[in-house]
Amino acid sequence: MNLLTAQQRAEANNSLGFTTPADADDVLRTITAIRYADRHRADPLAVSRALSGALDVIRRLLDVEENHTATRSTVARLVIANNRGDDYSLSDLAFELEQAGVDLKDDYDVADDLARATEQEPLL
């Protein structure tokens, strides 16, 4: 998968204007709306709903790609720094990701729950 360049993301963001990113439920509703509009192309309201939802989904995709790019560049920067003699830890990585706008708090909670369950597995 080829990511958009920073310039392409900026152009897409400018085109979308103040569109808000779709939440998970919106994504599912938009898929349904697009499928319905595809079968009922003569229904202007159905097509309008599908297009409106699609713009919100595109906003979400751009946000995800921005997050993905920030994660990749942060990891790469710290790996190269470590390869050149610095001593960054995973805590440093977590801090740098947070500074880059990548929020992993929910992921930490899930990982902690999984680790706790794995530790208790031999007791069962």
Side-chain angles (χ1 to χ4, degrees), residues 2-99:
N2 294 329
L3 298 176
L4 295 172
T5 66
Q7 180 180 353
Q8 289 170 324
R9 282 193 310 275
E11 288 176 24
N13 279 320
N14 287 338
S15 294
L16 287 173
F18 294 105
T19 305
T20 57
D23 64 20
D25 290 334
D26 292 336
V27 170
L28 297 175
R29 275 194 298 275
T30 298
I31 291 169
T32 301
I34 290 170
R35 287 187 163 204
Y36 181 85
D38 188 41
R39 288 189 307 272
H40 301 92
R41 293 176 188 211
D43 180 350
L45 185 58
V47 173
S48 177
R49 270 194 302 266
L51 289 175
S52 176
L55 291 174
D56 293 344
V57 171
I58 290 169
R59 166 61 67 199
R60 179 185 174 111
L61 290 173
L62 285 172
D63 289 353
V64 167
E65 189 160 313
E66 192 74 44
N67 191 294
H68 181 70
T69 298
T71 301
R72 289 174 56 100
S73 64
T74 300
V75 169
R77 182 172 48 79
L78 295 183
V79 166
I80 293 302
N82 275 359
N83 288 345
R84 293 182 177 209
D86 287 334
D87 189 24
Y88 286 103
S89 68
L90 290 176
S91 294
D92 295 323
L93 173 60
F95 175 78
E96 293 290 330
L97 287 171
E98 187 177 325
Q99 294 303 111

